[in-house]
């Protein structure tokens, strides 16, 4: 079974970082839930909308998260390419893939606290 995850990430190039963060924080008024050195998480009605500053980006990308108790079977069911080279999956059981339009999708096993 595949189900929605709780994270959406916008990979933002450095030259658009400040104005993108200000857009979500100041103009829309989303509450900041977490700040890291290159990421800011906003509450999006129970989901986390991450703005990630990515030096090698030339334009913004949206990345989505899906949950599955069996990420390997989910990847096979989706018929999508395995793209684990995109970003390290430290401490996560899952795979990076993409949809037919090229949107990056993380299919991962949820942690106990996310079930």
């Amino acid at each position: 079974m595949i189900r929605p995850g709780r994270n959406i990430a916008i990979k933002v190039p450095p030259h658009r970082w400040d104005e993108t963060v200000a857009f979500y924080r100041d103009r829309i008024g989303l509450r900041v839930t977490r700040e890291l050195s290159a990421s800011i998480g906003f509450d999006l009605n129970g989901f986390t909308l991450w703005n990630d500053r990515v030096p090698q980006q030339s334009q913004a990308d949206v990345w989505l998260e899906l949950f599955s108790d069996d990420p390997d079977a989910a990847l096979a069911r989706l018929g999508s390419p395995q793209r684990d080279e995109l970003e390290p999956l430290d401490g996560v059981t899952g795979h990076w893939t993409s949809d037919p339009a090229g949107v990056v999708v993380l299919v991962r096993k949820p942690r106990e606290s996310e079930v």
Side-chain angles (χ1 to χ4, degrees):
M1 181 166 86
I2 301 170
R3 55 196 181 278
R6 301 198 186 281
N7 294 292
I8 301 165
I10 302 174
K11 304 295 186 172
V12 181
H15 70 281
R16 296 288 188 199
W17 172 254
D18 290 334
E19 64 187 322
T20 302
V21 169
F23 178 83
Y24 288 99
R25 183 191 58 219
D26 304 334
R27 292 186 195 168
I28 295 177
L30 296 182
R31 183 176 57 86
V32 174
T33 58
R34 190 152 181 213
E35 290 189 60
L36 305 171
S37 62
S39 298
I40 293 181
F42 297 96
D43 177 45
L44 191 66
N45 198 27
F47 293 85
T48 300
L49 175 64
W50 289 98
N51 279 214
D52 297 338
R53 183 178 40 224
V54 183
Q56 63 270 28
Q57 290 289 122
S58 62
Q59 62 186 31
D61 279 334
V62 175
W63 292 22
L64 303 175
E65 177 185 61
L66 298 174
F67 287 159
S68 174
D69 293 331
D70 187 345
D72 292 327
L75 190 66
R77 179 173 179 246
L78 293 172
S80 300
Q82 184 171 324
R83 303 198 50 207
D84 290 346
E85 76 284 356
L86 292 174
E87 194 173 281
L89 288 170
D90 300 328
V92 173
T93 301
H95 298 288
W96 291 109
T97 187
S98 56
D99 73 11
V103 174
V104 174
V105 179
L106 172 61
V107 180
R108 73 173 180 89
K109 190 171 187 173
R111 295 177 186 96
E112 283 294 320
S113 62
E114 298 171 317
V115 176

